[in-house]
Amino acid sequence: MPNQTITPEAAHAPHAPHATGRERFAAATLWLPVIAVSVTATLWYDRLPAMLPKQWNGAEVTSTAGTEIMIGITGAIALLGAIAGLIAVSDAAADIRRGLVLAAGCAAGLAAGVWLVTAGLVIATGSAEPDAGAWPLLAALAMGYGLIPFALSPRRPQHREPTTADPATVPLGATESGAWFTTMTVPMFLWLAGGLAVGAVALAVFSVLENGAGAGGVFTLLLTAGICLTFARLRVSVDRRGLRVVSSLLRLPIKQIALDQVASARAETIRPGEWGGWGYRILPGRSAIVLTSGPGIVVERQNGTLFAVTVPDPALPAALLTTLAAR
Amino acid sequence: MLFRVDPASTVSIAEQLAVQVRAGVADGTIAPGTRLPSARELARALDINMHTVLRAYAQLRDDGILEMRQGRGASVRADAGAGTVHLVELADALLAEARKLGVALPDVLTLIQTRG
């Protein structure tokens, strides 16, 4: 292939989804917050009071939490971060590995920071309600721990499947225009949206009776119901305006790729595992709207990023999109 | 569902659209119950006049292929299929033949009714 140039960086960058030694080491550093919390909790447990400060207002402690609860919550978050690291080194997570260890490191770092600063302050001052000063800032800075596994993980090149053949086209006359439409309905999302809306109304009534308790829950339920409703019926179209995905029920445009952004389009089998699951997925260098496991259109943009949407019989729309984009 | 129109063709755009829907229903690529895009949407997609699309849809409704409901747009009738399309084609052929022979429409209708 004459157009392909291999930069020294690309030559050394990992191509296979298998985790490299450096990536395994990066994921292993996520166990440090777990070790820090568990070792200090064991060493300090006898010297700590039953309640630890949780919030400060200036020098005054405004709320407290049980020591065991504090150990449990911060330890559990740190442990979840470490487990996320184990998931990150699996082959399926290759494309999101770097982002995952960053997020896991931030969460675990923050949890460990909160524990160390709070318990450390109580131990150091000998007071159950010490003056915190600027120390909580240190706990927040501990979130930066995520940068360590992130920096240790090498950047992975965009994984792209080699296209074996030229994408198919539709023979359109010079003066002819073409448009393709399909509508996909997911009845489960409709039922889910209905159920959530009923739940939201019930919670809203409860909230009014109980002087505003659970008002946040009503909002969350309604938001989730709205998201379900958005994806319950989608209209996908390919025409002179490019590829468009519109929520049919809410008349809300979800995605549009103009023709001048389209490099090529092809029909492929979409496996949700490879695109990060169901729904609207965003991964480094690619995004997708996945409603089912099966056939779909994969669009390669001019900037090299990919977008996929599952549709029945994608060969025709993919060919039409390629044809219209080439005009 | 693919729609393609050629403004340079001698066949009217409305007729081009109607022919494609009829062909799709006849060969089964457009299943009964399929919802067609709204006239506004299809007109925008193909850069044609909305009334052209409405004319095509109205023709297909009169042929018994589409049903149009207020606010729900046009969809292929549940009983529409190859049979309906064939019947429409036979009616067109009958009318064309009658015109050629100079037989007026009421006479054609009487001819059919006496056989019913």
Side-chain angles (χ1 to χ4, degrees):
Chain A
M1 280 183 266
N3 291 336
Q4 196 173 5
T5 50
I6 296 175
T7 60
E9 191 196 352
H12 294 293
H15 278 281
H18 217 58
T20 60
R22 257 174 75 180
E23 286 173 324
R24 283 175 193 284
F25 180 64
T29 61
L30 291 170
W31 285 94
L32 202 61
V34 184
I35 295 168
V37 173
S38 45
V39 167
T40 49
T42 317
L43 290 177
W44 295 345
Y45 187 71
D46 292 338
R47 294 161 61 194
L48 287 171
M51 302 296 275
L52 287 178
K54 198 172 74 182
Q55 274 182 325
W56 281 268
N57 183 8
E60 193 192 343
V61 174
T62 52
S63 75
T64 57
T67 305
E68 283 91 359
I69 293 175
M70 197 82 134
I71 294 171
I73 291 176
T74 55
I77 294 174
L79 189 63
L80 281 176
I83 292 169
L86 290 180
I87 296 169
V89 293
S90 70
D91 290 356
D95 287 346
I96 55 167
R97 190 169 288 147
R98 214 162 168 237
L100 193 56
V101 293
L102 173 70
C106 290
L110 180 66
V114 166
W115 161 254
L116 290 175
V117 166
T118 314
L121 267 176
V122 171
I123 297 274
T125 56
S127 152
E129 297 196 353
D131 177 1
W135 286 105
L137 197 65
L138 183 69
L141 281 177
M143 213 160 83
Y145 183 75
L147 292 171
I148 295 173
F150 181 73
L152 284 171
S153 312
R155 184 190 291 269
R156 280 181 167 266
Q158 284 300 322
H159 172 68
R160 205 162 320 147
E161 288 132 46
T163 38
T164 44
D166 284 338
T169 54
V170 174
L172 277 186
T175 53
E176 210 174 2
S177 55
W180 177 91
F181 297 88
T182 197
T183 306
M184 295 175 295
T185 310
V186 186
M188 196 186 74
F189 280 169
L190 274 180
W191 287 108
L192 214 56
L196 287 164
V198 170
V201 170
L203 193 60
V205 171
F206 170 82
S207 177
V208 170
L209 294 177
E210 296 290 321
N211 297 323
V218 175
F219 178 72
T220 312
L221 282 177
L222 281 179
L223 190 72
T224 320
I227 293 171
C228 285
L229 211 56
T230 310
F231 286 93
R233 182 171 291 152
L234 293 184
R235 177 168 280 277
V236 183
S237 63
V238 172
D239 53 48
R240 65 194 180 92
R241 299 166 297 180
L243 174 76
R244 282 155 53 91
V245 181
V246 178
S247 166
S248 201
L249 293 171
L250 304 186
R251 316 232 159 169
L252 196 73
I254 298 175
K255 186 85 187 179
Q256 172 153 20
I257 301 177
L259 286 181
D260 57 8
Q261 290 173 23
V262 176
S264 72
R266 58 185 186 271
E268 253 183 47
T269 304
I270 309 289
R271 290 179 194 86
E274 292 174 3
W275 291 88
W278 283 264
Y280 196 156
R281 319 307 307 174
I282 298 173
L283 296 167
R286 59 209 180 105
S287 58
I289 295 175
V290 180
L291 292 189
T292 56
S293 170
I297 311 171
V298 178
V299 182
E300 187 177 343
R301 288 201 195 80
Q302 295 287 4
N303 62 12
T305 59
L306 299 177
F307 171 76
V309 57
T310 54
V311 292
D313 305 319
L316 184 60
L320 180 66
L321 191 57
T322 306
T323 309
L324 293 174
R327 277 187 166 180
Chain B
M1 189 186 331
L2 175 70
F3 294 93
R4 44 202 293 183
V5 293
D6 189 352
S9 164
T10 50
V11 181
S12 78
I13 290 176
E15 190 51 33
Q16 289 179 41
L17 289 175
V19 164
Q20 286 169 51
V21 175
R22 238 178 254 142
V25 172
D27 68 14
T29 49
I30 304 178
T34 303
R35 258 189 221 197
L36 265 57
S38 71
R40 185 189 300 273
E41 177 71 14
L42 186 55
R44 272 192 200 148
L46 291 169
D47 199 15
I48 56 179
N49 194 308
M50 189 176 85
H51 294 284
T52 309
V53 181
L54 284 172
R55 205 156 52 237
Y57 280 8
Q59 177 66 53
L60 290 164
R61 181 196 55 203
D62 295 346
D63 292 351
I65 293 168
L66 292 188
E67 55 185 349
M68 274 143 90
R69 290 202 198 129
Q70 196 68 42
R72 283 177 59 101
S75 54
V76 178
R77 276 172 60 157
D79 57 359
T84 317
V85 174
H86 186 53
L87 197 64
V88 170
E89 282 166 358
L90 284 177
D92 284 343
L94 178 67
L95 278 176
E97 195 64 26
R99 233 175 263 132
K100 208 160 74 186
L101 296 172
V103 181
L105 187 61
D107 296 331
V108 177
L109 287 176
T110 316
L111 195 69
I112 295 170
Q113 273 164 355
T114 52
R115 268 143 223 273

